[in-house]
Amino acid sequence: MAKIHAAITAVNGYVPDYVLTNHELETMVDTNDEWITTRTGIKERRILKGEGLGTSDMAVPAVNGLLEKRGITADEIDLIIFCTSTPDRVFPATANILADKIGAKNAWGYDLQATCSGFLFGLATGSQFIESGKHKKVLVVGGDKMSSMIDYRDRATCIIFGDGCGAALLEPNTEGNGIIDSVLKSDGSGVPFLHQKAGGSMRPTTHETVDNREHYLYQEGQSVFKFAVTNMAEVAAEVMERNNLTSDDIAWLVPHQANKRIIDATAVRTGVSPDKVVINIERYGNTTNGTLPLCLWEWENKFKKGDNIILAAFGGGFTWGALYLKWAY
Ligand code: UT7
């Protein structure tokens, strides 16, 4: 019997309407368009405005559009893996909230927290349920409302992040297409360089933590940069080497969108030419769990059946990884 691979059979994305430009940021913190553009490659990012709206509110249009594209209904979904670092609530899981909002009555689900590598870990995890034969339709959602944890007085972080969400459907494939391999890593010694100081069980929210602005994302950018620039490139190269792929075999490199300089370094290390590297950071910034599915969504029409695609990511934690898939449609 032919091996079952988990193949992506539909992708979709959603970004909020509000565009926060570098020029608007110039009015908020001591920064300028030239610095942001040359140091990060970002020109603008989207922000989810509106009282009471959370990450699931971006997932609903992304997933509903996906279901329409695929021509299926929500009750056909078996499992929802919601990859996010900004869940609607600490509990219950945003996967449950989403399932209720879209009417996925037969799905179970859970949230996956692996910061910017979340969607990649979600694809790798979700593929196991397909390969085992246990499930037929696994929805992997990646999204974040980063504006909910960004300090718009901190110029080192507020210029990078944006809001957005995307989703991919995994289904069984016996033609040899789908997710072929992945290399997944994490290292908790990276915690000091990128974390949220308060709001968890270790340091619950109090008036004092809020006054100290400890509920915002904290990052030591240079340390994270050094780690990311080496490790994302290495892990992408590793998954290629162990599948005997050279840069000529790769149709597309889909990297996490954190900094254009990190993306460029990954392209150089893997030898993939710039015209095969998927980049939309200039329009969305770093949407954390949203970057990879938003890239897949925007490039979907350029992908061809059988294309060898490498996804690569890294994030706080630290977490990082690369995944090799053959596009299935
Ligand atoms: O996906 C999650 C993982 N996170 C990342 O991948 C982020 C990785 N890190 C980075 O992308 C970069 O480190 C940053 C974009 C965050 C910062 O770029 P950098 O080239 O590492 O800048 P830096 O922190 O070394 O700062 C250089 C200078 C400093 O001034 P002095 O000390 O040289 O006078 C900063 O104060 O740039 C200054 N600076 C700014 N200037 C204008 C820092 N932020 C800004 C700003 N506008 N927004």
Side-chain angles (χ1 to χ4, degrees):
M1 210 172 80
K3 179 173 168 33
I4 299 172
H5 288 109
I8 294 177
T9 55
V11 287
N12 205 42
Y14 173 83
V15 288
D17 292 336
Y18 191 87
V19 179
L20 175 59
T21 62
N22 289 352
H23 293 297
E24 187 176 351
L25 282 166
E26 285 174 0
T27 68
M28 297 158 68
V29 287
D30 180 16
T31 190
N32 58 77
D33 174 52
E34 206 259 329
W35 190 96
I36 303 171
T37 306
T38 53
R39 303 310 289 166
T40 70
I42 303 167
K43 286 301 230 182
E44 57 190 43
R45 63 292 289 140
R46 301 298 180 99
I47 303 295
L48 181 65
K49 299 267 186 184
E51 201 62 35
L53 297 180
T55 303
S56 74
D57 294 295
M58 295 187 290
V60 169
V63 172
N64 282 338
L66 178 149
L67 297 175
E68 202 179 310
K69 268 187 187 177
R70 185 74 185 104
I72 61 168
T73 53
D75 55 12
E76 293 178 57
I77 299 168
D78 300 308
L79 164 63
I80 298 175
I81 303 176
F82 204 124
C83 313
T84 186
S85 297
T86 51
D88 282 15
R89 303 168 185 270
V90 173
F91 77 93
T94 309
N96 289 32
I97 297 169
L98 176 66
D100 183 53
K101 285 184 175 178
I102 62 172
K105 297 201 181 322
N106 299 311
W108 68 287
Y110 58 90
D111 288 4
L112 192 156
Q113 163 61 291
T115 62
C116 299
S117 308
F119 184 77
L120 195 142
F121 285 17
L123 287 180
T125 315
S127 70
Q128 307 300 308
F129 291 95
I130 298 285
E131 286 177 20
S132 71
K134 176 125 179 119
H135 290 319
K136 297 283 182 260
K137 288 182 172 52
V138 174
L139 185 66
V140 183
V141 183
D144 275 295
K145 182 185 171 186
M146 292 306 292
S147 60
S148 66
M149 52 149 49
I150 293 300
D151 185 349
Y152 286 95
R153 292 191 203 169
D154 176 12
R155 69 174 184 173
T157 54
C158 73
I159 54 125
I160 303 171
F161 294 97
D163 302 340
C165 184
L169 184 69
L170 294 176
E171 294 185 79
N173 182 293
T174 50
E175 295 178 344
N177 291 324
I179 295 171
I180 308 295
D181 194 14
S182 59
V183 180
L184 311 171
K185 312 255 186 186
S186 42
D187 177 0
S189 69
V191 170
F193 309 110
L194 181 49
H195 59 265
Q196 189 178 25
K197 294 196 180 302
S201 57
M202 196 180 94
R203 190 159 164 74
T205 307
T206 61
H207 286 292
E208 189 195 354
T209 64
V210 173
D211 289 346
N212 293 341
R213 310 181 79 74
E214 293 176 47
H215 52 296
Y216 291 122
L217 176 148
Y218 171 84
Q219 175 171 257
E220 293 176 20
Q222 260 191 30
S223 306
V224 179
F225 184 92
K226 280 184 202 144
F227 175 89
V229 85
T230 314
N231 286 279
M232 189 164 95
E234 280 310 314
V235 82
E238 186 182 338
V239 86
M240 283 170 61
E241 276 154 27
R242 79 179 197 190
N243 289 281
N244 301 314
L245 297 166
T246 69
S247 55
D248 291 340
D249 301 316
I250 303 304
W252 299 100
L253 173 66
V254 186
H256 171 53
Q257 313 280 307
N259 188 315
K260 173 76 162 52
R261 290 182 288 145
I262 299 170
I263 295 172
D264 292 344
T266 306
V268 169
R269 173 69 182 85
T270 54
V272 175
S273 59
D275 56 317
K276 295 177 179 177
V277 183
V278 174
I279 302 177
N280 60 15
I281 191 172
E282 70 281 2
R283 283 173 291 125
Y284 303 139
N286 183 351
T287 55
T288 303
N289 285 273
T291 62
L292 293 178
L294 288 175
C295 284
L296 296 177
W297 167 53
E298 291 204 325
W299 261 256
E300 182 189 17
N301 290 336
K302 296 185 181 153
F303 297 159
K304 293 192 196 67
K305 190 170 176 175
D307 272 359
N308 289 320
I309 301 180
I310 301 291
L311 276 66
F314 73 91
F318 290 126
T319 60
W320 67 108
L323 184 142
Y324 163 40
L325 64 82
K326 288 175 94 69
W327 198 248
Y329 62 98

